[in-house]
Amino acid sequence: MRSIWKGAISFGLVNVPVKVYSATQSHDVQLHQVHNKDGGRIRYQRKCEVCNKVVAYEDIDKAYDDGEKTVVLTDDDFAALPAERSHEIEVVEFVPADQVDVLMLDKAYFLEPEERALKPYTLLRRALEDSDRTAIVQFALRQKTRLAALRVRDNVLVLQTMLWDDEVRKPEFDVLDSTPRISQKERDMAAQLVDSLSEDFDPTAFTDDYQEQLRTLIEAKIEQGASLDTEATFGEQPEDESADVVDLMEALKRSVDRKKASKKPAKKSTAKKKPAAKKKAG
């Protein structure tokens, strides 16, 4: 894993330098758009509506529009904000773990302590375990002030960002204003059904069937020769750099795709084995 941010947890006078790692990743098969007639890649360009030119990513700033005036904010403007400069994860309070509404929980991150901070890191972890409490923290990341829950998973501290209270919608459904009569017999039957399906939760027992079937479909089409040379789908690239699609992620992905295309023979033998292995496991 690669660290995405460095900071320090502060609770009281204790300071714990940590590295932050994304705790989750998507297993979805990545798809892109192509022209249905020739398989050519469809891309989006960042064009300026004033000069009608494609704009390089590094030349793009953010702006606020109130309907009449537009205020342009540069990277230097954001860097000047005190909250953005701070790399402190401040513990605001410790709350009972069951009081944190799961609806408010968002992205999760693992926190790795620096070697010299292992003792205070362990102390905080054990304090959370012993008290059965969750630390509510505030910090700034990527031009946003964040609210987060700091809790323990195995022997690692997990930072889980939270939505602000006004970001959680209030459910207002008129149909729920009336309550239908539920008989005791119906409640007993529902309880029996719940009891019959009661198990300890094991996340490894669940798989994403759609993604598995999609991978099998893709592998089958490769086996049948129903595929195109990846590099050929890009077409001719303009010599003028300003006309390129300059999205950094797209540029990186293009490099990866070309690398994969150059290793196509080696990957073909691997693809043949995969479906057989899946049938065996099933």
Side-chain angles (χ1 to χ4, degrees):
M1 293 191 295
R2 180 179 296 178
S3 170
I4 63 167
W5 192 73
K6 289 183 180 180
I9 305 168
S10 66
F11 65 110
L13 298 177
V14 180
N15 189 273
V16 189
V18 292
K19 293 179 182 178
V20 180
Y21 300 82
S22 180
T24 60
Q25 61 184 7
S26 172
H27 65 203
D28 289 358
V29 176
Q30 298 300 308
L31 304 175
H32 56 254
Q33 294 181 323
V34 297
H35 187 191
N36 60 8
K37 292 185 178 179
D38 55 23
R41 293 289 292 272
I42 305 296
R43 298 186 181 276
Y44 297 94
Q45 296 182 327
R46 291 183 170 88
K47 277 192 174 181
C48 173
E49 294 183 5
V50 175
C51 65
N52 204 35
K53 292 182 179 178
V54 175
V55 181
Y57 187 80
E58 59 268 22
D59 294 331
I60 296 176
D61 285 331
K62 294 181 180 179
Y64 171 76
D65 172 19
D66 67 359
E68 295 183 359
K69 300 287 186 181
T70 294
V71 178
V72 178
L73 300 168
T74 67
D75 289 341
D76 290 339
D77 291 328
F78 286 112
L81 295 175
E84 183 67 14
R85 291 200 306 267
S86 172
H87 279 223
E88 182 178 81
I89 302 171
E90 180 190 5
V91 174
V92 180
E93 57 188 12
F94 293 93
V95 303
D98 60 4
Q99 288 185 4
V100 179
D101 188 346
V102 293
L103 189 63
M104 297 183 69
L105 296 177
D106 198 12
K107 181 74 175 174
Y109 301 90
F110 291 136
L111 301 184
E112 178 193 25
E114 292 187 7
E115 191 172 351
R116 61 187 174 88
L118 181 58
K119 185 172 181 178
Y121 180 95
T122 305
L123 175 64
L124 176 56
R125 188 191 76 211
R126 289 182 176 170
L128 291 172
E129 290 174 327
D130 294 343
S131 63
D132 192 25
R133 286 183 174 261
T134 294
I136 301 300
V137 304
Q138 284 190 306
F139 65 105
L141 176 65
R142 293 172 182 163
Q143 300 170 356
K144 285 186 179 180
T145 299
R146 315 269 178 161
L147 182 69
L150 186 64
R151 55 191 181 82
V152 180
R153 187 177 193 273
D154 298 327
N155 65 337
V156 178
L157 288 177
V158 176
L159 183 73
Q160 194 150 12
T161 56
M162 300 172 64
L163 301 173
W164 297 96
D165 183 63
D166 62 357
E167 292 180 313
V168 179
R169 291 177 171 175
K170 306 296 182 187
E172 297 177 352
F173 306 121
D174 293 341
V175 68
L176 295 178
D177 291 341
S178 59
T179 305
R181 182 180 177 277
I182 305 294
S183 69
Q184 187 59 48
K185 186 176 180 180
E186 290 169 325
R187 295 181 66 176
D188 291 341
M189 287 296 293
Q192 287 180 35
L193 177 59
V194 170
D195 187 60
S196 68
L197 293 174
S198 295
E199 296 284 349
D200 290 328
F201 179 57
D202 176 13
T204 62
F206 299 89
T207 56
D208 189 339
D209 292 338
Y210 178 83
Q211 291 297 321
E212 288 296 320
Q213 292 167 14
L214 180 57
R215 289 179 190 276
T216 301
L217 173 62
I218 292 170
E219 288 162 2
K221 290 178 78 70
I222 292 174
E223 290 274 334
Q224 295 163 9
S227 59
L228 303 171
D229 179 71
T230 299
E231 191 169 359
T233 67
F234 288 101
E236 294 183 9
Q237 299 301 313
E239 294 181 7
D240 181 7
E241 289 186 1
S242 64
D244 280 339
V245 178
V246 291
D247 185 313
L248 178 59
M249 291 303 295
E250 277 294 326
L252 292 172
K253 191 174 186 305
R254 186 184 305 173
S255 301
V256 172
D257 286 343
R258 286 185 174 178
K259 193 70 175 177
K260 285 181 179 178
S262 68
K263 294 181 178 179
K264 197 173 180 182
K267 286 204 167 188
K268 196 170 183 181
S269 61
T270 306
K272 286 180 181 177
K273 295 177 184 177
K274 257 187 165 182
K278 286 182 180 178
K279 288 176 184 175
K280 206 172 187 180

